[in-house]
Amino acid sequence: MATVTSVLHLPSSAEDTFQLHADVRNMPRITPPPGARVLHAPTPTRAGDIQVIALGPRWASVRWVAHVVAFDPPRLMVDVQRRGPFRSFRHMHVVLPEEGGSVLVDMVEFRFFPGALGAVLDSLFVAPALRLMFAGRHRRTRALLASGSRDRELGAGASPGVGRSS
């Protein structure tokens, strides 16, 4: 299993940082091109939720089904791919308070290619692509938090089908 870790120091509180990432409706706002669309996800996020995301352009999107296996605001959220392009994918979002702000740590354990050669290919090709994706997500996260734009003001960015089922 390969691992990619990305760390971002932010001037925002741990609570604000966690809230931005914990609300699935913000995924289109923090995902770099070709982007993401939320097809189905309960809000607010809770442990046990199933989130269905379309990654990429509409004409060639990949459906991603994630299961939120741990949710402990404002510090930890863990989601695991149930269906998608990876053989296995576990994403841990950790938010830690620090003086003057917070630290966001994204850690992904993944396997894309099978076999022993797959481990090499994952390290050479998939890990660098994930690092670039997280660099883009972190740039967007910093900009959204700096602008004071949080999910409370999202409204128009929410996708149909996003809402807590009773």
Side-chain angles (χ1 to χ4, degrees):
M1 190 89 64
T3 302
V4 168
T5 302
S6 187
V7 178
L8 175 64
H9 295 267
L10 293 158
S12 58
S13 71
E15 291 75 13
D16 284 349
T17 300
F18 186 86
Q19 180 183 10
L20 180 76
H21 275 263
D23 192 324
V24 71
R25 295 174 297 176
N26 287 321
M27 183 171 273
R29 299 170 77 200
I30 64 172
T31 303
R37 288 176 291 116
V38 178
L39 302 178
H40 170 79
T43 56
T45 300
R46 297 180 188 159
D49 284 353
I50 300 295
Q51 301 174 335
V52 182
I53 311 296
L55 299 171
R58 287 186 187 273
W59 55 271
S61 63
V62 173
R63 187 173 291 235
W64 185 295
V65 179
H67 180 206
V68 179
V69 296
F71 191 75
D72 185 18
R75 304 287 180 255
L76 175 70
M77 183 172 81
V78 180
D79 57 271
V80 175
Q81 175 194 282
R82 291 294 180 227
R83 180 180 288 171
F86 287 82
R87 294 186 179 284
S88 65
F89 190 93
R90 180 179 184 269
H91 181 189
M92 182 167 49
H93 316 247
V94 178
V95 180
L96 304 168
E98 72 174 359
E99 188 173 329
S102 60
V103 178
L104 170 64
V105 179
D106 282 299
M107 186 174 85
V108 175
E109 297 169 331
F110 69 94
R111 189 63 189 257
F112 190 81
F113 294 104
L117 179 58
V120 173
L121 294 173
D122 283 346
S123 294
L124 290 175
F125 299 107
V126 182
L130 287 173
R131 284 187 195 95
L132 283 173
M133 188 270 306
F134 278 106
R137 281 177 59 122
H138 285 182
R139 278 191 301 277
R140 289 167 174 256
T141 295
R142 179 180 299 284
L144 285 168
L145 289 168
S147 72
S149 176
R150 288 188 281 284
D151 115 294
R152 288 188 275 271
E153 299 135 16
L154 181 65
S159 300
V162 177
R164 168 87 28 215
S165 314
S166 305

